[in-house]
Amino acid sequence: MILLSLITILLVAGIFAWAAARWNVAAARWIALTATAADFIIGLAVWLRHYGELSLFPHSRWIEQLDWNWIPRFGIHFHLAIDGLSLLLLMLTFFLGIVSVLVSWNEIQERVGFFHLNLLWVLAGITGVFLALDLFLFYFAWELMLVPMYFLIALWGHERRQYASVKFFIFTQLSGLLMLIAILALYFAHHGATGVYTFEYQQLLGTPLSSTAAWWMMLGFFVAFAVKLPVVPVHTWLPDAHTEAPTAGSVVLAGLLLKTGAYGLLRFVVPLFPSAAHQFAPIAMVLAVIGILYGGLLAFGQSDFKRLVAYTSVSHLGFVLLGIFAWNELALQGALITMIAHGISTGALFVIAGLLQERMHTRELDRTNGLWSTIPRLSGAALFFALGSLGLPGLGDFVGEFLVLLGTYRVSSSLTIFAAIGVLVATFYALRLVQRAFHGPNLHEWKLADLNKRETLILAPMIAVLLWIGLYPLPLLKTFRPAMDRLQQVVGSAVALRR
Amino acid sequence: MTGADAIALLPLIILAGTSVLAMVGIAVHRSHGFTLGLTLAGLAAAFGSLWIAAPLAPRRVTSLLVIDHYSLFYFGLLIAADFAIALFAYDYLAKRDVNREELYILLLIATTGGAILTASSHFASFFLGLETLSVSLYAMVSYLHLRRQPVEAGIKYLILAAASAAFLLFGMALVYAELGTMEFAGMGQIFFAGHASDTLLVCGLAMIITGVGFKLAVVPFHLWTPDVYEGAPAPVTAFIATVSKGAMFALLLRFFYRSGATNHQILLVFTIIAIASMLAGNLLALLQTNVKRILAYSSIAHMGYLLVAFLASGKLAVEAVTFYLVAYFITTVGAFGVVSALSTHEREAEDIDDYHALFWRRPALAGLFTVMLLSLAGIPVTAGFIGKFYIVAAGAASSIWALVIILVVSSVIGLFYYLRIVAEMYASPEREGLGTRSHVSSPARAVLWALAVLLVWFGIYPEPLLRIIRTVLPT
């Protein structure tokens, strides 16, 4: 029940926020804030309560679960469950949820109620994706994220919002439908093998498949997740969507929506189709390295603050893809840490871009110079997160990327070398961003307000969390460990079986 | 014909009787409200009589009609759609200066024709039902006869429908000449026995497909659709899109399910038609700026999706078609309901500019329209999503991968134009649009809301509907 409440709180609060905004705009904001905070606290409580167990019973199955019959005609269950992996991503979801409500406090002045409805429903969809264990339910939640996100970009976005929102919608919808075909193919293949119609993740694991069938189904899933992640040839929606979205939209996109792609790869693609994924791994890893370098290079060439940060996401998520397909302990841990650290540091950079845009009404780096002299605190925060993004030791991103590189080295040393060059590229774009925006003489004589209390309240915890992950990532790894062991076990036994 | 037969036919008798009553009523006392009330009462009574007829099902009434759960289910669907359309028509006609009452008579007659189609098991009833439906439609399409567009649309429809009916008749004659029976079930036996020679039979079936294809407006028999959709009054368009097409599809399903008249040539023809409809419908819709024309092309594509399920064959396919039709009925009636609610007495709200920033002027109507469009696009939480899922599942179960992939790709193309309307509705208000003035009566509003609620309900918890649908197989 506690899992269901995580979703329903968001859904119901969304409706209340919409209704409340008719009378009082501030009420809508407070309702949204309370709902996200409540979910965060519930998540935290679950985590703390089960933290001891995680190390005591490293192979215990799900921390919490809920299983209802939903559409018996197809053997569809309403099955939610949580393990260490989903728990960590949920914590990230609610944390960034609070951030995105707070960051919209001043920015969004039109149709406030409807905005918060969409924001909370996107978060509910993401929560559903991280919790669903029934493939139909997963697809349902996966699609459900799209519509509110579309509205967030299309209604409150910047100049080219129509183009960006439609592009985003079409890309994800097409890839999602290919995944639906793959899901159904798996469903009927499972029925063919066992005579049982089910979408249940646990039962579908280890469905005997011919290698061609497994290959095509794996590709169907992979495409959907690759578009979200994004992997290079299908990434083109991302810079547009991230740039045109309102700040909260960018934070949710970069911080959370991209992670659903990585989560899908971890949870579904590799465990469901172990040998096909094994065959596919070299291709995926090469794509990952291309993404790392290409994203970094393009980021270097951007003059729009948000677009620059958007391209850095392509680069960082390349590390995640690399880690997942290297599929060993170090690489997986690295991928997870990168996912969370990237969510925080990139989310924060988008928050800063939003704060600057609110003050200066531009995102062009050509128009910004020497901001340090007028807004030292904001500039300091920007420097901090830029350093996080370039992988400075002591901050979260470093731990993640370092572990990924270590893990990948065991699989392929040449790819590791190229990926390491990506870290170098990150130094260039991150420092260039800081230099262009904040250093130098204040040519345009900007006189801006520095961080106020609310804005400090947003950025300070993000700084703290990034430091925490960078200096003491053990709790995260410990929480992730049982889930990771089990994933590896499933894949290991399946691959061994087929040899 | 026995008393039990009469009870089994009760829904049809009530429908036909109501149209006569309405006719007499108009002769005695011409009143718009009264005629509507009579129509709605008749429809409600016919709907209620489904439960009286149900215990007798399945029952053959003469050799022409079969009253089984399948036909009763479709009776219910057609009657319910007609109920909503009649309410929309009331608002629509109230704004206009014409003879209003006769439209309801035509509606009732056409619905009777559609209902006969869904129950027919014989070429004779097939043709009679079709003509009853078509002839009333000619008059309905050109109902606003003082304007150019409806008359043009009516004539276009008349000529093409008559031509296609001729094809259909000739096809029936050829099949009869070859098989010596006009009953669907009888044909099935001969097919299974394998006595039939191919050439004449395939010719006959091809001509029947032509006639059916015209009514369904699948490519290449679709050319009338956009013009007729655009020219006809919005409630009549809703009727053509749902009752007329739905009844025909129900018949098609029964015909091929019963007669088993499927060889690979026929299946190939349907495959080509399905692919062409999905692609052409969605691609041509991209070029339109008129909402009614967009919906016309989108309906062509939807018939293509339905054909995919039809081609999947088997029990799952029948269920998929039935569920999809239910979702399609709700959605299409709702969408045209919004269009007719927004229309003013001068013109229809058909230009996409009329929908500009609608959300900020008429939030409820814009919200309802959004739900309908998202359901047409097959986005979750709407019945359209479950429908699409069902069809893809039926396709996957029969491993017709090429069709399934074309369905997926073309439905993504379809997203463009649905989103275009949605985006237009939510754009920030810059210029004055239509629809600030039009009035929507509270019953019509209630129906729109009910449709939206049904759509979401079947999208989230379809199990009750699925349970009913599983019991309705054509016999």
Side-chain angles (χ1 to χ4, degrees):
Chain A
M1 284 313 281
I2 206 161
L3 300 182
L4 187 65
S5 72
L6 289 176
I7 298 177
T8 41
I9 286 176
L10 294 172
L11 290 177
V12 172
I15 294 168
F16 275 111
W18 190 21
R22 283 165 190 256
W23 295 289
N24 189 342
V25 173
R29 303 183 196 280
W30 280 107
I31 290 174
L33 186 61
T34 320
T36 42
D39 265 7
F40 184 75
I41 291 167
I42 294 176
L44 205 58
V46 172
W47 193 7
L48 291 178
R49 197 171 62 204
H50 293 280
Y51 186 67
E53 275 173 46
L54 289 170
S55 37
L56 280 179
F57 310 105
H59 293 294
S60 64
R61 299 202 68 76
W62 306 101
I63 299 177
E64 294 269 353
Q65 64 172 331
L66 169 97
D67 193 356
W68 287 341
N69 247 345
W70 184 16
I71 309 177
R73 168 68 187 89
F74 288 103
I76 296 170
H77 283 238
F78 189 83
H79 189 176
L80 303 175
I82 191 172
D83 64 357
L85 173 61
S86 347
L87 179 64
L88 290 175
L89 290 170
L90 282 178
M91 294 311 294
L92 181 70
T93 306
F94 303 138
F95 181 73
L96 290 181
I98 299 175
V99 168
S100 25
V101 174
L102 283 175
V103 82
S104 315
W105 212 272
N106 273 349
E107 185 188 327
I108 303 298
Q109 294 297 346
E110 282 173 41
R111 317 149 208 168
V112 177
F114 195 50
F115 176 84
H116 285 94
L117 174 77
N118 283 308
L119 184 58
L120 290 175
W121 281 37
V122 163
L123 293 172
I126 294 170
T127 311
V129 163
F130 289 143
L131 286 176
L133 266 203
D134 182 285
L135 257 63
F136 180 86
L137 180 63
F138 174 76
Y139 181 75
F140 197 85
W142 181 263
E143 293 281 286
L144 197 58
M145 299 186 300
L146 292 189
V147 181
M149 195 66 226
Y150 166 79
F151 279 125
L152 282 183
I153 303 175
L155 293 186
W156 292 274
H158 303 305
E159 306 81 27
R160 290 168 67 225
R161 53 177 181 265
Q162 294 298 357
Y163 171 77
S165 56
V166 171
K167 193 169 175 184
F168 162 75
F169 203 105
I170 303 268
F171 263 76
T172 23
Q173 181 75 19
L174 177 59
S175 60
L177 281 168
L178 293 178
M179 174 167 75
L180 176 66
I181 297 180
I183 290 177
L184 281 166
L186 181 61
Y187 170 77
F188 287 110
H190 184 263
H191 173 255
T194 62
V196 180
Y197 282 119
T198 181
F199 283 98
E200 191 62 39
Y201 171 70
Q202 298 280 5
Q203 295 184 33
L204 291 176
L205 283 177
T207 303
L209 296 168
S210 73
S211 60
T212 351
W215 177 260
W216 284 107
M217 288 178 205
M218 193 274 304
L219 277 187
F221 277 86
F222 181 77
V223 165
F225 300 136
V227 165
K228 272 275 163 66
L229 195 62
V231 176
V232 151
V234 287
H235 70 289
T236 58
W237 64 272
L238 179 135
D240 290 313
H242 282 57
T243 312
E244 302 305 327
T247 306
S250 306
V251 171
V252 172
L253 270 173
L256 302 173
L257 244 61
L258 306 190
K259 306 305 177 297
T260 60
Y263 173 79
L265 292 175
L266 266 175
R267 174 78 80 206
F268 297 107
V269 171
V270 183
L272 285 175
F273 314 104
S275 20
H278 187 71
Q279 283 173 30
F280 187 66
I283 303 176
M285 287 168 76
V286 168
L287 287 176
V289 171
I290 293 175
I292 294 172
L293 294 174
Y294 179 79
L297 284 176
L298 281 190
F300 187 71
Q302 301 304 315
S303 62
D304 179 314
F305 194 126
K306 288 182 88 172
R307 224 176 160 79
L308 192 156
V309 181
Y311 275 111
T312 69
S313 291
V314 178
S315 179
H316 286 297
L317 270 297
F319 280 100
V320 175
L321 181 65
L322 191 63
I324 291 173
F325 275 92
W327 200 262
N328 54 41
E329 191 176 337
L330 284 174
L332 284 177
Q333 287 177 339
L336 179 90
I337 301 275
T338 308
M339 279 157 79
I340 293 177
H342 169 265
I344 309 270
S345 63
T346 307
L349 282 174
F350 277 120
V351 169
I352 287 168
L355 298 181
L356 286 178
Q357 172 142 24
E358 245 175 70
R359 289 166 165 77
M360 320 197 325
H361 305 288
T362 179
R363 305 183 303 265
E364 279 300 313
L365 290 173
D366 297 336
R367 307 252 305 121
T368 61
N369 259 28
L371 293 180
W372 203 293
S373 57
T374 163
I375 40 171
R377 272 177 291 164
L378 182 58
S379 311
L383 176 64
F384 179 86
F385 290 112
L387 291 178
S389 181
L390 70 79
L392 189 76
L395 300 180
D397 294 82
F398 169 76
V399 180
E401 284 168 17
F402 183 70
L403 286 173
V404 168
L405 289 177
L406 272 185
T408 312
Y409 189 75
R410 295 185 180 174
V411 183
S412 158
S413 52
S414 53
L415 283 176
T416 318
I417 293 170
F418 282 109
I421 295 176
V423 182
L424 192 69
V425 177
T427 322
F428 283 113
Y429 64 66
L431 290 182
R432 179 170 168 277
L433 172 72
V434 174
Q435 200 185 8
R436 297 262 308 256
F438 303 104
H439 286 181
N442 190 348
L443 290 178
H444 301 277
E445 303 191 349
W446 293 104
K447 282 201 176 43
L448 307 168
D450 207 347
L451 292 179
N452 64 23
K453 271 190 199 141
R454 174 180 59 86
E455 291 156 359
T456 317
L457 191 68
I458 301 171
L459 291 175
M462 298 180 96
I463 292 178
V465 172
L466 207 58
L467 272 172
W468 171 49
I469 302 173
L471 298 174
Y472 188 58
L474 197 61
L476 295 187
L477 295 177
K478 229 162 141 184
T479 311
F480 178 48
R481 184 166 190 111
M484 182 186 69
D485 283 351
R486 215 168 55 247
L487 291 176
Q488 283 194 308
Q489 204 182 326
V490 167
V491 172
S493 61
V495 170
L497 210 71
R498 252 157 248 193
R499 264 180 201 147
Chain B
M1 195 156 108
T2 63
D5 285 349
I7 292 175
L9 284 184
L10 205 54
L12 285 175
I13 294 172
I14 295 178
L15 276 178
T18 313
S19 64
V20 176
L21 265 183
M23 211 180 318
V24 176
I26 293 169
V28 176
H29 173 59
R30 189 174 269 281
S31 150
H32 192 196
F34 175 73
T35 317
L36 175 77
L38 192 68
T39 310
L40 295 183
L43 288 171
F47 197 80
S49 70
L50 295 177
W51 277 268
I52 301 175
L56 294 171
R59 185 179 184 86
R60 290 190 63 92
V61 182
T62 70
S63 58
L64 296 182
L65 297 174
V66 177
I67 304 294
D68 53 5
H69 286 116
Y70 180 78
S71 37
L72 288 175
F73 182 85
Y74 276 98
F75 285 179
L77 192 60
L78 301 184
I79 292 168
D82 211 22
F83 193 92
I85 291 170
L87 275 172
F88 296 143
Y90 180 80
D91 271 13
Y92 185 91
L93 292 173
K95 296 173 202 159
R96 279 168 182 72
D97 216 11
V98 283
N99 277 340
R100 302 180 179 118
E101 293 77 11
E102 280 79 0
L103 187 70
Y104 301 100
I105 305 175
L106 292 169
L107 265 180
L108 286 165
I109 299 176
T111 312
T112 316
I116 289 172
L117 272 182
T118 64
S120 60
S121 63
H122 191 279
F123 275 158
S125 48
F126 177 4
F127 190 71
L128 285 175
L130 183 72
E131 285 303 290
T132 316
L133 177 63
S134 297
V135 172
S136 344
L137 272 177
Y138 306 147
M140 282 161 74
V141 170
S142 46
Y143 197 74
L144 304 174
H145 56 88
L146 295 179
R147 300 192 188 179
R148 205 178 128 261
Q149 253 192 340
V151 175
E152 185 190 322
I155 291 178
K156 194 169 240 170
Y157 190 69
L158 168 69
I159 292 173
L160 287 172
S164 80
F167 269 97
L168 186 70
L169 264 184
F170 194 26
M172 287 173 175
L174 286 179
V175 172
Y176 179 63
E178 190 59 36
L179 299 183
T181 175
M182 293 213 259
E183 282 181 53
F184 300 168
M187 288 175 209
Q189 283 162 9
I190 298 172
F191 268 110
F192 287 125
H195 295 319
S197 85
D198 261 2
T199 331
L200 270 187
L201 197 63
V202 169
C203 281
L205 284 175
M207 287 186 159
I208 292 178
I209 292 173
T210 309
V212 172
F214 170 81
K215 264 277 173 268
L216 293 179
V218 286
V219 177
F221 313 111
H222 67 288
L223 292 167
W224 58 276
T225 327
D227 294 336
V228 171
Y229 268 52
E230 189 187 355
V236 176
T237 314
F239 189 88
I240 298 175
T242 55
V243 175
S244 158
K245 289 187 181 180
M248 191 42 118
F249 214 98
L251 176 108
L252 182 72
L253 205 58
R254 188 197 288 278
F255 177 63
F256 281 97
Y257 197 82
R258 286 312 303 159
S259 73
T262 43
N263 56 24
H264 62 278
Q265 283 150 313
I266 301 293
L267 287 183
L268 182 68
V269 168
F270 274 114
T271 309
I272 293 169
I273 289 178
I275 293 174
S277 303
M278 290 191 282
L279 289 177
N282 280 320
L283 286 172
L284 291 175
L286 291 177
L287 308 175
Q288 308 302 320
T289 55
N290 179 312
V291 171
K292 282 169 95 183
R293 288 182 87 91
I294 291 179
L295 288 172
Y297 282 110
S298 118
S299 82
I300 295 174
H302 282 275
M303 288 301 133
Y305 303 159
L306 276 167
L307 280 179
V308 173
F310 171 77
L311 283 164
S313 74
K315 196 163 169 297
L316 190 63
V318 178
E319 285 176 50
V321 168
T322 310
F323 188 93
Y324 201 87
L325 275 175
V326 174
Y328 173 80
F329 264 55
I330 301 173
T331 317
T332 309
V333 169
F336 283 107
V338 174
V339 173
S340 80
L342 282 171
S343 303
T344 61
H345 68 282
E346 298 140 356
R347 51 186 292 259
E348 305 232 331
E350 53 186 11
D351 206 63
I352 198 159
D353 281 342
D354 297 335
Y355 293 81
H356 181 76
L358 186 70
F359 183 70
W360 313 115
R361 285 177 284 124
R362 310 282 299 258
L365 281 179
L368 289 167
F369 204 32
T370 308
V371 175
M372 305 300 165
L373 290 172
L374 291 180
S375 175
L376 282 174
I379 305 293
V381 197
T382 61
F385 166 70
I386 305 281
K388 203 200 260 174
F389 170 79
Y390 228 132
I391 288 188
V392 174
S398 317
S399 305
I400 40 175
W401 299 112
L403 277 171
V404 170
I405 286 172
I406 291 173
L407 187 156
V408 161
V409 171
S410 65
S411 82
V412 171
I413 300 172
L415 265 183
F416 272 109
Y417 55 83
Y418 296 125
L419 283 183
R420 199 163 133 224
I421 305 179
V422 172
E424 198 65 44
M425 286 197 294
Y426 290 83
S428 356
E430 280 152 17
R431 49 185 189 272
E432 182 68 12
L434 197 75
T436 20
R437 289 160 296 160
S438 73
H439 168 72
V440 191
S441 69
S442 38
R445 191 175 307 220
V447 169
L448 277 177
W449 278 108
L451 290 172
V453 168
L454 276 180
L455 214 53
V456 174
W457 180 32
F458 292 150
I460 292 177
Y461 191 62
E463 189 57 24
L465 181 61
L466 294 183
R467 222 172 285 149
I468 299 173
I469 284 178
R470 294 187 78 176
T471 62
V472 297
L473 280 179
T475 51

